[in-house]
Amino acid sequence: MSRPVEVSEVSKWYGQVVAVNGMSLGLEPGVTGLLGPNGAGKSTLMKMLTGQIRPSRGRVELLGHVPWNDPDLNRRVGYCPEQDTFYEWMTGRRFVTALLGLAGFERAEARRRAEAALAEVGMTEVGDKKIGGYSKGMRQRIKLAQAIAHDPEVLILDEPVSGLDPVGRRHIIDLVRKWGAQGRTILVSTHILHEVEAMTSAVLLIHHGRLLAEGDVHEIRDLIDEHPRLITMVTPDPRALAARLLTEQDVVSVRFERGSRSITAETVRPDEFYRRLPALVLQEGVEIEEMSSPDDNLQAVFDYLVR
Amino acid sequence: MSEAHPLSPGPALSFPQGTVSAFHFALPMALWSRRTLVLGLLGGALPLMAVVFLTVKSIPAAEIRTPGYIFFSNAFQFILYYVLLTALAMGTAVIAEEIDGRTLTYLTIRPVPKAALLLGKAAAAWTTGAILVAATVVSGYTVFTLGDGLLFSGGADSFLINLPTLGVDLLLTLGALAVYITVFTFIGARFARPMLWGITLAFGWESWVAFVPGLTRKLTAMHYIQSLSPHASGRNAAVALLQQGAGRFESVVALALILAAFALLAAWTFSRREYEFDLSKR
């Protein structure tokens, strides 16, 4: 039996720009991480898998079907796009319900499924607030809710934890693992290795539109872990957070961003750093509103890997 | 949310079902938009003109003896431009608004054929525009004729007598709206900066070429709309001697062909185009 996702010799170019270059891969049920720096071709691959764009060359198959212009396939596929855009004036509840209605669900069934999806991502309480008033974390969760609400077999999640606070990040990672354990085939992109590792051991490394490596995340982690990593955090009290972080041995420097509430920490053991953060927030009351790893950070790691 | 296989995907949608789903999705958005509010206020200009007409007429020195329904006939030119403007605003927004707002992805990942999505959204735009246009036409006609009849002697029956004309006007304006919304939907689906293209077409080509004697005017929808209009009005009356309108049958067929051709073009364009590249470039 063929795998749920098959990509054979796929290339995608736009004008002179080659976004994906001769890529072949297959996904088994469960969670697979798609790891690569910004511009590696992650989003382009995901858009081809969801039928948003078609390959310039090669063949993409999802559940045995070519996704381009096959709307029926969308009943079985959920997609969480990277872009942070919405109908800002809609409430989260209305957003999910309306999209279920568009997918052909009767009103009562759409409401029932929307409630289940909101509960799944922890948005029931704030479902009646307008999306325009949501925090970054809430916006990510409502995007996930619309992706999962119709109970798809295949989930394509483009940077679903980008910009989330440590607790929100943990919650989404747990959800992805749970959905994978339910037997869904999930492809989740990120440019943070630690996130992939927390979700799955299966990883695809892509760089400059090519598949660089695939396999067990632990095998490449040791290589990458040696490389220092930058992590940017937004906090109401940058000075206090910096002081607290500098007490950790793995943190080698902290840089303040002029005129903003964000700081950038450099760590030589990112695994430990990420593992420590939820406890820092929950037990010591340190406030971290957003967290991200600069793109050039992973670019440096990949340059280091392909050297 | 199911805990184990088999998962329960949603219903399979036929093309008509997809169109209806898209219509229900898009209608509330079209109805309660800022665009609709602005167009509604603009449409209020016609009844306002009627009030001004009645006020001026009530001044003896003005010596206006024209009955209200005749004045309404002259105001029909305003209505045609209002239809053009409404179609321009509503039609170009059908797809372009989703591209500008970067929300198109949420729609195209649903199990609805892209062509059905476009037609459902265009139908919602037409419904909203039709409410606006009908409200303007009916309220303008009512104030011009009924107000005139109540305030001045000799015109009391004009409201009822001219109701069939109102019916034809409504049919014509709503038909014209459908034709223009389809044309502008295609422009919104096909071109970047659709407003610019749309304004050029609406207030350049359609507004001028339709009145140029010769065969060129047969390439405008306005020519056939004017030919079907029961009113000899404004500029149309002035150049009536130079022009000869198309026959009724020819006009209806031409407008139906324009509508069908642009609906097919819009659906084909929307189904084939990779909008995600547009989204990523913005």
Side-chain angles (χ1 to χ4, degrees):
Chain A
M1 203 171 119
S2 65
R3 292 178 289 190
V5 176
E6 292 280 359
V7 174
S8 311
E9 288 296 318
V10 161
S11 297
K12 180 68 190 177
W13 54 81
Y14 186 65
Q16 299 293 312
V17 179
V18 179
V20 170
N21 192 355
M23 199 179 284
S24 294
L25 55 93
L27 301 186
E28 300 287 352
V31 182
T32 303
L34 183 63
L35 189 67
N38 202 24
K42 302 189 297 290
S43 294
T44 303
L45 176 64
M46 289 184 150
K47 283 170 186 171
M48 284 192 281
L49 290 173
T50 51
Q52 304 291 300
I53 54 177
R54 62 193 142 177
S56 306
R57 199 164 59 194
R59 187 174 175 85
V60 172
E61 276 191 18
L62 230 82
L63 303 167
H65 298 266
V66 174
W68 171 252
N69 268 349
D70 184 353
D72 201 44
L73 187 60
N74 290 339
R75 294 163 56 221
R76 302 164 69 189
V77 180
Y79 177 46
C80 174
E82 184 188 12
Q83 71 250 24
D84 184 39
T85 48
F86 295 91
Y87 303 105
E88 300 284 343
W89 43 268
M90 268 192 192
T91 67
R93 185 167 273 113
R94 169 90 186 116
F95 177 65
V96 180
T97 311
L99 289 174
L100 283 165
L102 178 61
F105 288 97
E106 296 291 332
R107 190 169 293 185
E109 178 64 4
R111 282 201 190 121
R112 190 190 68 74
R113 284 182 180 249
E115 284 310 318
L118 290 173
E120 183 86 342
V121 299
M123 289 288 285
T124 304
E125 298 287 309
V126 292
D128 287 326
K129 275 190 179 176
K130 286 187 176 172
I131 295 175
Y134 280 175
S135 68
K136 173 81 177 172
M138 291 174 185
R139 292 164 77 88
Q140 288 286 29
R141 288 181 200 198
I142 211 73
K143 259 197 289 185
L144 282 169
Q146 64 79 32
I148 197 75
H150 56 294
D151 219 359
E153 290 166 58
V154 177
L155 265 173
I156 309 290
L157 311 176
D158 200 351
E159 304 268 4
V161 293
S162 166
L164 290 185
D165 64 85
V167 178
R169 196 171 281 242
R170 186 73 251 170
H171 181 216
I172 299 298
I173 287 170
D174 289 344
L175 278 178
V176 173
R177 288 175 58 153
K178 178 184 154 189
W179 294 334
Q182 286 171 352
R184 300 176 207 266
T185 303
I186 304 177
L187 182 65
V188 54
S189 77
T190 174
H191 58 268
I192 299 175
L193 182 68
H194 173 81
E195 288 173 0
V196 174
E197 196 182 14
M199 288 185 239
T200 180
S201 61
V203 68
L204 302 165
L205 280 171
I206 68 169
H207 190 45
H208 288 153
R210 286 184 177 278
L211 184 64
L212 206 65
E214 61 180 309
D216 194 305
V217 69
H218 303 290
E219 289 169 12
I220 59 162
R221 187 179 63 109
D222 294 338
L223 276 172
I224 294 178
D225 245 10
E226 300 299 317
H227 203 80
R229 216 80 61 77
L230 297 174
I231 294 148
T232 300
M233 287 151 284
V234 179
T235 171
D237 191 352
R239 195 178 290 268
L241 179 60
R244 175 65 186 82
L245 291 176
L246 285 169
T247 62
E248 303 293 341
Q249 284 193 336
D250 60 290
V251 177
V252 292
S253 74
V254 174
R255 194 173 69 226
F256 290 88
E257 308 295 332
R258 187 187 291 265
S260 84
R261 297 184 299 137
S262 67
I263 61 168
T264 300
E266 186 179 13
T267 172
V268 289
R269 285 196 294 277
D271 258 11
E272 277 182 30
F273 187 93
Y274 281 116
R275 201 174 297 125
R276 219 169 33 228
L277 276 178
L280 211 66
V281 173
L282 293 173
Q283 287 158 24
E284 298 184 30
V286 173
E287 280 191 70
I288 301 174
E289 294 166 357
E290 280 180 30
M291 193 167 75
S292 62
S293 185
D295 297 331
D296 56 352
N297 189 14
L298 193 69
Q299 179 69 51
V301 171
F302 270 77
D303 290 344
Y304 164 78
L305 271 180
V306 297
R307 215 168 29 220
Chain B
M1 208 67 39
S2 62
E3 292 297 316
H5 269 122
L7 299 169
S8 51
L13 293 178
S14 65
F15 190 91
Q17 286 171 325
T19 308
V20 171
S21 281
F23 176 79
H24 286 305
F25 177 83
L27 187 61
M29 289 200 213
L31 281 175
W32 306 112
S33 69
R34 208 171 298 168
R35 180 184 310 109
T36 304
L37 180 70
V38 171
L39 286 168
L41 290 173
L42 198 68
L46 188 65
L48 196 69
M49 274 162 57
V51 171
V52 171
F53 165 75
L54 293 174
T55 309
V56 173
K57 195 174 175 180
S58 68
I59 302 167
E63 289 188 352
I64 296 174
R65 293 192 176 82
T66 315
Y69 69 91
I70 297 292
F71 200 90
F72 177 75
S73 300
N74 288 309
F76 195 73
Q77 201 66 29
F78 167 86
I79 292 170
L80 283 185
Y81 281 104
Y82 182 63
V83 165
L84 256 179
L85 190 69
T86 303
L88 173 68
M90 296 281 177
T92 51
V94 168
I95 297 303
E97 188 179 52
E98 303 287 352
I99 295 172
D100 289 343
R102 302 187 66 180
T103 46
L104 187 62
T105 311
Y106 294 118
L107 311 186
T108 53
I109 54 170
R110 306 296 147 194
V112 179
K114 285 180 186 166
L117 190 63
L118 177 129
L119 291 180
K121 287 203 78 194
W126 178 82
T127 305
T128 308
I131 292 170
L132 291 171
V133 169
T136 299
V137 172
V138 172
S139 62
Y141 173 83
T142 304
V143 179
F144 269 124
T145 56
L146 198 58
D148 192 29
L150 289 175
L151 290 172
F152 305 100
S153 58
D157 293 334
S158 63
F159 179 80
L160 290 174
I161 291 168
N162 289 290
L163 264 183
T165 312
L166 173 67
V168 174
D169 284 344
L170 266 180
L171 210 64
L172 184 60
T173 48
L174 298 187
L177 184 72
V179 170
Y180 281 126
I181 278 189
T182 313
V183 172
F184 293 127
T185 297
F186 164 70
I187 288 175
R190 176 63 188 81
F191 299 106
R193 298 188 188 87
M195 259 295 176
L196 198 66
W197 286 97
I199 288 170
T200 308
L201 181 80
F203 301 106
W205 183 263
E206 283 292 310
S207 299
W208 294 103
V209 177
F211 300 98
V212 174
L215 286 175
T216 326
R217 63 200 163 107
K218 285 187 178 289
L219 297 174
T220 68
M222 185 64 88
H223 170 68
Y224 301 104
I225 293 165
Q226 290 280 5
S227 299
L228 288 171
S229 169
H231 310 292
S233 60
R235 179 172 45 171
N236 197 25
V239 295
L241 288 173
L242 294 171
Q243 291 187 343
Q244 192 175 5
R248 187 162 291 178
F249 179 74
E250 182 194 347
S251 299
V252 171
V253 169
L255 289 173
L257 282 176
I258 293 170
L259 190 143
F262 277 92
L264 283 173
L265 268 175
W268 186 81
T269 303
F270 186 57
S271 300
R272 302 289 301 168
R273 195 157 170 203
E274 295 173 278
Y275 289 93
E276 280 300 319
F277 278 122
D278 297 329
L279 296 179
S280 58
K281 278 191 291 180
R282 279 162 200 253

